[in-house]
Amino acid sequence: MSAILLLVLGLGGMALGYFLYSRFIAKVIYKVDENFRTPANEFEDGVDFVPTNKFVLWGHHFTSVAGAAPIVGPAIAVIWGWLPAFLWVTIGTIFFAGVHDFGAIWASVRNKAKSIGTLTGEVVGTRARSIFTIVIFLVLLMVNAVFGVVIARLLINNPGSVVPVWGAIAVALVIGQLIYRGKMSLPLVSLVGVVALYFLIYIGPSVPVSLPEQVGGLSDNAAWILILFGYAAIASLLPVWVLLQPRDYINGLQLFVGLIALYAAVLIGNPTVVAPMINQDVPAGTPSMIPLLFVTIACGAISGFHGLVASGTTSKQLRREPDARFVGYFGATGEGALALAAIIAATAGFASLADWQAVYTSFGQGGVLAFVNGGATILSQGTGLDAEVAGTMLTVMAALFAGTTMDTGLRLQRYIFQEWGEIYNVKWMSKAAPATLLSVGTCLLLAFGAGGADGSGGLLIWPLFGTSNQLLAGLTLLVVTVMLVRRGTPTIYTVVPLIFLLVMTLYALLIQLKGFYTKGDWFLLTLDLVVLVAAILVSLECIASLRRLKQERQQSGAS
């Protein structure tokens, strides 16, 4: 089958979702108000609360949520065949992710830009907040610890990507100054930034950079992880306009240029999808597609991490409430387009079915390498681009997005510690610097405490990321639904996605629980139980809150 068909149907459906469905959600469900004073304007401080152009803010939001996950998940899930992955990414983007991301921004903006965890305490109750923050903290810990490993391995496997990955930081610093200090035209700055970034990508293979195999007694992998966390700690403390915003914005433009190039190569080269539509001959040990498909593909269909970004950093920068539709829903659409590209690269970037099967020998295979290698093949065959440059471009794309997600994730983890400091009256913890040190310390404790000198301990709890992340998305939709009930607004458009997510995620958690018990993996078994119990308790608290609202309305109607 031609990959062009997947491209046209997928992008066409997502475009209709943004132009039609999101407009309905904005007008009828969330009822966004042009005259509502957003927290960015009310609490402007030049550090975290910064009223921002919606295109720049979209770049921040999109690249913060579009890490390696929308590449890894779909490129693994195609082991069940391209059709299930394609349907879940397309339908999930339109009816799940867009509503979720848009809703999380709206809910936070309507409540002084409070995070979804803090908001849970006010909308549902303090017990729900305490339990919910445990899940949030675990998700952030997983994302930060694992993405450090992912970026380190990408830099080691492709030394030509080191210069463009780190050079992008310098480009972003300059762009931030040009936009906010120099007041230069955004289109001009954007053009300069994209040209500079792609120039670095072009010269990257000519100046490969590798660390020695041993650095101060540590492996090169461990050294890169320490360097990355050192950078992320500094980035999380800087005002958002200095580095976070411009880096995310220019990376967003870089991604779209990369996606346009990849999609153009598909249209020109017309590659054939060699993977089966539904794989009837999956490798031994591959888990059941239902429910595991819906937690393997999280980012790219719907992701709870998006709610953390939406209510953690994005809501503090929203200049106008109607911008939430563009930033949130279209941000989810952009990530859906990335997930679609990963599906095409991982199914049409191989010469034959036998070559594809040689990669997908067991569940968990594929991932970033399938995307990079398959995408580079499509690019070189469709456009004539040098295969090494194409591979570097896609590697840099993956590394930059993992990096921006890590930047934002560490800042969000810092917010969690600061909120805990305020809630429990631990004054030193409520300050930015100590909270950042705690955030980095917990990540490194997991990385090196569980992974040894290599620093890859984050991978130990990664099997729980998919379920924890999707659970977080369902619980975020629960909080948004409670807000809609209080406003007397129709809730079916959030209730259907949240019921589906909670059912599939709880089912997957139970399957994983059995698997961990069979393997004797007591650490993951314990964490699985913690997440499972937390999910049930928060759900019960939300149901109780909805019942109280219903009773209050009945009593008010009777009187």
Side-chain angles (χ1 to χ4, degrees):
M1 188 193 78
S2 171
I4 293 177
L5 185 61
L6 289 184
L7 186 156
V8 172
L9 291 177
L11 292 185
M14 293 177 198
L16 287 175
Y18 175 71
F19 288 111
L20 299 179
Y21 190 60
S22 73
R23 194 182 301 276
F24 165 78
I25 294 296
K27 183 178 180 180
V28 178
I29 307 304
Y30 298 142
K31 298 180 180 178
V32 296
D33 183 0
E34 171 72 39
N35 298 315
F36 180 80
R37 192 181 184 201
T38 65
N41 293 292
E42 185 177 356
F43 307 116
E44 183 176 359
D45 60 7
V47 179
D48 293 318
F49 291 87
V50 180
T52 304
N53 178 286
K54 71 176 183 179
F55 296 101
V56 175
L57 183 55
W58 171 86
H60 157 70
H61 179 80
F62 169 52
T63 52
S64 293
V65 300
I71 295 172
V72 175
I76 289 175
V78 293
I79 196 169
W80 289 300
W82 61 261
L83 182 61
F86 172 77
L87 290 176
W88 174 227
V89 163
T90 305
I91 295 172
T93 295
I94 298 169
F95 298 106
F96 287 61
V99 174
H100 170 275
D101 291 19
F102 185 0
I105 296 174
W106 168 79
S108 179
V109 165
R110 284 283 169 162
N111 289 274
K112 301 185 182 301
K114 292 176 180 175
S115 72
I116 199 67
T118 302
L119 192 55
T120 303
E122 298 189 2
V123 174
V124 181
T126 54
R127 284 181 301 184
R129 179 196 63 200
S130 300
I131 299 166
F132 200 4
T133 51
I134 294 173
V135 180
I136 292 172
F137 182 78
L138 283 174
V139 169
L140 288 172
L141 185 63
M142 292 178 200
V143 168
N144 293 333
V146 170
F147 278 16
V149 178
V150 169
I151 300 168
R153 291 185 176 179
L154 284 170
L155 296 176
I156 291 169
N157 292 332
N158 193 333
S161 67
V162 174
V163 167
V165 165
W166 291 101
I169 297 171
V171 172
L173 288 168
V174 172
I175 286 177
Q177 295 298 319
L178 292 177
I179 292 176
Y180 287 98
R181 299 290 192 193
K183 305 296 182 181
M184 289 185 62
S185 165
L186 184 60
L188 177 60
V189 173
S190 303
L191 178 62
V192 171
V194 170
V195 170
L197 193 55
Y198 272 93
F199 175 72
L200 291 172
I201 291 173
Y202 178 75
I203 67 171
S206 303
V207 284
V209 177
S210 298
L211 292 180
E213 291 187 5
Q214 290 291 318
V215 182
L218 295 173
S219 67
D220 53 353
N221 188 76
W224 273 126
I225 290 173
L226 289 175
I227 292 170
L228 286 163
F229 272 106
Y231 155 74
I234 295 170
S236 72
L237 289 170
L238 291 173
V240 291
W241 67 267
V242 172
L243 179 58
L244 190 68
Q245 270 188 10
R247 184 182 179 192
D248 290 352
Y249 174 64
I250 203 65
N251 284 350
L253 294 179
Q254 179 257 347
L255 170 69
F256 263 84
V257 172
L259 280 179
I260 289 170
L262 184 58
Y263 285 145
V266 171
L267 293 173
I268 296 169
N270 190 22
T272 300
V273 176
V274 299
M277 183 170 67
I278 297 179
N279 193 4
Q280 303 287 357
D281 188 27
V282 296
T286 301
S288 170
M289 182 177 69
I290 297 176
L292 270 299
L293 170 70
F294 305 104
V295 296
T296 301
I297 301 179
C299 301
I302 181 171
S303 166
F305 180 73
H306 293 202
L308 301 184
V309 176
S311 64
T313 57
T314 303
S315 62
K316 294 178 175 64
Q317 301 169 63
L318 196 76
R319 187 169 61 184
R320 300 166 53 255
E321 191 176 56
D323 291 349
R325 171 177 168 252
F326 179 80
V327 175
Y329 196 102
F330 191 59
T333 302
E335 188 172 63
L338 177 58
L340 177 62
I343 291 172
I344 292 174
T347 57
F350 297 85
S352 66
L353 175 59
D355 291 330
W356 182 84
Q357 290 173 330
V359 171
Y360 288 87
T361 55
S362 62
F363 183 70
Q365 297 299 310
V368 173
L369 287 179
F371 169 75
V372 170
N373 295 334
T377 299
I378 292 173
L379 276 169
S380 60
Q381 292 178 352
T383 65
L385 187 67
D386 179 77
E388 186 178 7
V389 173
T392 299
M393 183 177 79
L394 296 177
T395 299
V396 170
M397 182 188 295
L400 286 179
F401 282 107
T404 52
T405 300
M406 188 176 168
D407 288 358
T408 303
L410 198 66
R411 186 179 288 258
L412 293 173
Q413 202 168 349
R414 185 247 290 179
Y415 289 164
I416 292 290
F417 277 113
Q418 287 184 275
E419 287 179 2
W420 283 344
E422 293 172 359
I423 292 170
Y424 301 110
N425 199 28
V426 183
K427 293 184 178 179
W428 64 268
M429 191 188 295
S430 62
K431 296 179 180 178
T436 299
L437 290 176
L438 284 173
S439 302
V440 172
T442 51
C443 291
L444 293 179
L445 181 63
L446 173 62
F448 290 93
D454 189 48
S456 299
L459 296 176
L460 183 67
I461 62 174
W462 187 248
L464 278 173
F465 171 74
T467 46
S468 301
N469 189 45
Q470 296 303 72
L471 174 63
L472 186 57
L475 297 179
T476 299
L477 284 170
L478 262 175
V479 174
V480 173
T481 299
V482 173
M483 284 187 61
L484 292 177
V485 169
R486 286 183 171 180
R487 292 165 61 91
T489 306
T491 58
I492 189 171
Y493 305 98
T494 56
V495 166
V496 171
L498 82 83
I499 290 176
F500 181 86
L501 276 179
L502 288 180
V503 169
M504 288 300 170
T505 304
L506 292 174
Y507 184 13
L509 278 168
L510 291 172
I511 290 176
Q512 287 184 323
L513 197 66
K514 180 181 177 182
F516 297 146
Y517 177 78
T518 302
K519 294 177 182 177
D521 193 333
W522 308 118
F523 177 69
L524 284 180
L525 178 71
T526 302
L527 280 181
D528 193 309
L529 280 172
V530 169
V531 173
L532 182 63
V533 171
I536 294 172
L537 290 178
V538 174
S539 299
L540 291 175
E541 288 286 339
C542 287
I543 292 170
S545 177
L546 289 171
R547 285 179 175 173
R548 286 195 298 270
L549 284 172
K550 184 178 179 182
Q551 290 174 355
E552 289 171 6
R553 288 194 169 186
Q554 289 175 343
Q555 291 172 357
S556 136
S559 61

